[in-house]
Amino acid sequence: MAFDHSAFYADVNRLYDRLEELHGLDAVLDGIDARGLDRLYIPPTNYTAGGPFNRVIELGQTYPFDKIIRAVDVETSGGGSYPNFTTPTTTTSPHDFGWVEEAYADASTWRLTAQSSLGSTFEPLLEVSSDRFQQVSYAIVDMYASMDTSLRDDWSGLANQTSEWEGRAADAFFRNFQGPMTDVIAGHKFALDYLNSLVCGLKVFNDAGQHSLHALVTECLDIVDDQLRKRQADNRDASDGEALVLLATLTGIGAALTFPLPGTAAALGATSAMLSYAASSVPPAMAEPVEITARSATQLDDALGSEIGELKRNVRAGFDSVDDKATEMDGYVDELKTPLAGSPANAWIPIRPDIAPGDDFYHESRNYS
Amino acid sequence: MTTDPHSPSYVPQYTGASGDYGSGTEFGGDLFALYTAGQLTIPATAGHYSAAASQLHWIVGTFQGIASDLGHSAGDHVVANMQDLSDAMRLTTDRLYVAGDALVEIADRYAQTDEGAAAEFGLLLDLPENAPMFENPPVTTPPPGPDDPIGPTPDLPQDNGELDDLIEEAGLEDELAEDEADQDSDDSGEDGS
């Protein structure tokens, strides 16, 4: 399936929903730990986990769970202390839990900044949709096919007239204009063929970059999901995942892209295959597995940003390799522009015909009239 | 009937104009050949080239937008290569029209100088198998200039299936397959196997 911008952005939003949740959740868990609130008061009798000295706090949204924490700070009169006390409390002061709401608010603030920053990082990869390249390629192939079937250089047997006409202008016209026209048409078709391969090449790396990007986001979704599950199980260990990400340049993908050579058949016969390559996923030949490990929202966000930066470098390297092929095309076109041996004509632009009624262009019958 | 050689109802006329460029019926026959190429087949080729140049103009304009959004020099390089080809096709179109006009002028001018040639030329133009061809000569259609608007999107294949049909109808896939087969044959010959 072609890269789906809507689905991608939906996944990015979902990822950052989860990261925000994890960020807030971990801040609350850290706060509980820092304040020693996980050290519960256990009265000798009438133990009720929920109170009056302890409370149940609901944590998590995706994988919700309850955690029992100490709700009050207790001063005891003589004997007894945490974790047990045998003397009824003399004073209690409810613990201030305002920091919990602050932790979630901080997580929201963090999320906005982090997601915005990541968007700035990946947006350049999404500027050009795949179908724009495809449309240009279709137009080139359509144009080539039209030229192939409609262009004629024999012009009703004009080539057979070369021996009938004499004079400097006639010789020049048939030798330097009519004759080389075959080469000019072939040269232009070759150039079109090559341009099509260049367009397909840019599309391949553009597509592979976009699919790699989505694969990274999907991988991070799996990781954050695992982290949230771990929290439910009171586990703060790291989670890891793997995604296939673009690595190769043109030399690494071999025959996937066909570039024509002068004098050979049209490479654009393989256009459909070239346009399909990397169109729906990153081909294994272009990619390598990338592992991400994280134990917190910030770690995962940092890792994702770092991998996207690497991905952008890889996409640029792919574009560089296509640019190298464009330079090769320059060389081929320069050869087409080079005059043919002993002639002012070349295979790129026909000479301006210099013929007019006159003594430089006459019929052979003048010789025997 | 008219003496305007570019008109569909043109009839060559001997006027006794000065100049000795040839004589006789063979001369007339070859004037007809020049005139056919200049009035019909070269302008038809020029028209196809102009249409191709127009489509390339659309391609260049469209890809300029892609290159701008891509943000990499490779896109700009491809645009430059496209523009180079576009300029070449524009010039080719122009020179084809110039060549066609010149041949028409030569055929008409030379017919004016030789009575036998004019008669033969006119006879051939008037033949039932030839006359219909000249009733609707190709109209000169200059290609768009580099700064002209790119125009509407051409009629293109809608998907890879239609693209494959187009390639098959043009016989392009077969050409590539034959080329690859030839290459494989050459390679196995080199191996000595």
Side-chain angles (χ1 to χ4, degrees):
Chain A
M1 195 167 76
F3 182 82
D4 185 336
H5 280 70
S6 296
F8 170 74
Y9 279 107
D11 281 347
V12 170
N13 281 331
R14 205 153 55 90
L15 171 64
Y16 277 86
D17 285 345
R18 303 283 175 98
L19 286 175
E20 178 184 346
E21 179 186 343
L22 181 64
H23 195 286
L25 176 55
D26 281 353
V28 171
L29 291 174
D30 289 344
I32 289 171
D33 184 58
R35 292 167 179 77
L37 298 181
D38 52 344
R39 293 173 293 175
L40 305 178
Y41 287 124
I42 306 174
T45 59
N46 296 321
Y47 169 72
T48 303
F53 305 110
N54 305 315
R55 64 176 280 188
V56 175
I57 186 170
E58 295 175 355
L59 295 173
Q61 294 170 297
T62 306
Y63 302 110
F65 61 98
D66 295 336
K67 192 169 181 67
I68 303 169
I69 59 175
R70 193 176 74 248
V72 298
D73 290 320
V74 179
E75 288 186 12
T76 61
S77 58
S81 62
Y82 172 84
N84 296 305
F85 64 98
T86 58
T87 307
T89 58
T90 54
T91 58
T92 61
S93 54
H95 192 74
D96 178 11
F97 284 96
W99 60 270
V100 173
E101 290 308 310
E102 285 176 13
Y104 288 132
D106 287 346
S108 291
T109 302
W110 171 86
R111 182 261 176 91
L112 288 174
T113 303
Q115 185 171 354
S116 174
S117 176
L118 194 86
S120 300
T121 303
F122 69 62
E123 285 294 342
L125 290 172
L126 304 183
E127 287 291 339
V128 186
S129 60
S130 186
D131 63 313
R132 292 173 69 187
F133 289 105
Q134 183 168 280
Q135 191 185 45
V136 169
S137 174
Y138 283 179
I140 292 174
V141 174
D142 181 71
M143 184 182 160
Y144 186 106
S146 203
M147 289 175 68
D148 200 55
T149 55
S150 65
L151 287 180
R152 293 290 176 262
D153 55 12
D154 56 356
W155 300 330
S156 300
L158 189 63
N160 298 330
Q161 291 283 308
T162 53
S163 59
E164 315 301 327
W165 300 92
E166 298 178 9
R168 179 202 57 80
D171 290 344
F173 174 77
F174 286 104
R175 185 177 60 248
N176 299 334
F177 179 82
Q178 189 273 329
M181 201 62 204
T182 305
D183 295 327
V184 169
I185 294 173
H188 292 170
K189 285 164 61 180
F190 166 77
L192 269 181
D193 197 359
Y194 210 102
L195 286 169
N196 184 57
S197 292
L198 291 173
V199 170
C200 291
L202 290 175
K203 178 182 178 296
V204 160
F205 290 102
N206 190 72
D207 288 358
Q210 292 178 353
H211 286 300
S212 297
L213 176 64
H214 204 166
L216 284 170
V217 169
T218 302
E219 177 189 1
C220 288
L221 265 170
D222 291 342
I223 292 172
V224 73
D225 190 78
D226 190 60
Q227 281 286 288
L228 291 171
R229 281 187 190 277
K230 279 183 158 72
R231 298 300 180 275
Q232 189 186 52
D234 195 23
N235 184 334
R236 302 288 293 263
D237 290 343
S239 302
D240 50 44
E242 188 178 279
L244 271 184
V245 173
L246 168 67
L247 178 66
T249 59
L250 273 177
T251 52
I253 58 176
L257 285 169
T258 308
F259 287 84
L261 292 171
T264 62
L268 55 71
T271 298
S272 184
M274 291 195 284
L275 290 175
S276 298
Y277 195 71
S280 56
S281 63
V282 187
M286 290 187 81
E288 69 164 10
V290 166
E291 291 184 2
I292 293 179
T293 300
R295 54 161 33 94
S296 73
T298 51
Q299 264 191 11
L300 190 53
D301 175 63
D302 286 344
L304 178 58
S306 176
E307 290 300 336
I308 291 176
E310 184 66 24
L311 171 61
K312 286 166 65 177
R313 283 187 286 276
N314 292 348
V315 170
R316 278 198 294 274
F319 289 160
D320 286 342
S321 65
V322 176
D323 200 11
D324 290 342
K325 297 301 285 187
T327 301
E328 280 187 28
M329 180 180 172
D330 293 340
Y332 291 130
V333 171
D334 283 344
E335 288 176 14
L336 292 172
K337 291 176 178 177
T338 302
L340 306 170
S343 164
N346 61 54
W348 188 245
I349 298 176
I351 63 167
R352 187 173 179 82
D354 181 21
I355 51 171
D359 289 331
D360 286 335
F361 193 111
Y362 63 91
H363 192 255
E364 62 169 358
S365 60
R366 191 179 83 170
N367 296 330
Y368 41 81
S369 63
Chain B
M1 273 178 41
T2 176
T3 56
D4 174 8
H6 298 286
S7 167
S9 50
Y10 166 66
V11 176
Q13 294 288 316
Y14 168 67
T15 63
S18 63
D20 179 11
Y21 307 110
S23 66
T25 54
E26 184 188 342
F27 183 35
D30 290 336
L31 289 179
F32 171 75
L34 284 190
Y35 182 76
T36 303
Q39 178 72 348
L40 297 182
T41 50
I42 293 179
T45 299
H48 290 306
Y49 242 101
S50 181
S54 281
Q55 185 143 331
L56 183 57
H57 184 67
W58 180 91
I59 289 168
V60 174
T62 301
F63 201 77
Q64 279 176 323
I66 292 172
S68 175
D69 292 341
L70 199 66
H72 188 279
S73 59
D76 299 326
H77 198 161
V78 173
V79 169
N81 288 4
M82 287 178 171
Q83 286 173 328
D84 196 9
L85 177 60
S86 189
D87 291 342
M89 294 189 73
R90 198 175 295 118
L91 271 173
T92 300
T93 303
D94 174 66
R95 290 175 183 181
L96 283 167
Y97 280 127
V98 167
D101 284 344
L103 291 180
V104 166
E105 292 294 327
I106 286 172
D108 175 59
R109 179 67 175 86
Y110 289 7
Q112 294 181 36
T113 67
D114 188 272
E115 189 169 13
E120 179 66 11
F121 183 3
L123 188 72
L124 291 169
L125 267 180
D126 209 33
L127 286 177
E129 62 264 34
N130 293 335
M133 291 191 302
F134 296 91
E135 288 174 0
N136 292 293
V139 177
T140 300
T141 50
D147 299 324
D148 286 346
I150 67 171
T153 303
D155 187 22
L156 298 175
Q158 293 300 302
D159 52 42
N160 280 0
E162 288 189 17
L163 178 75
D164 287 339
D165 290 343
L166 174 67
I167 289 172
E168 186 179 345
E169 284 167 13
L172 300 175
E173 195 172 76
D174 293 339
E175 288 178 27
L176 182 61
E178 288 169 8
D179 208 52
E180 287 174 345
D182 289 344
Q183 185 60 48
D184 290 342
S185 175
D186 290 344
D187 289 345
S188 53
E190 287 170 8
D191 292 342
S193 57

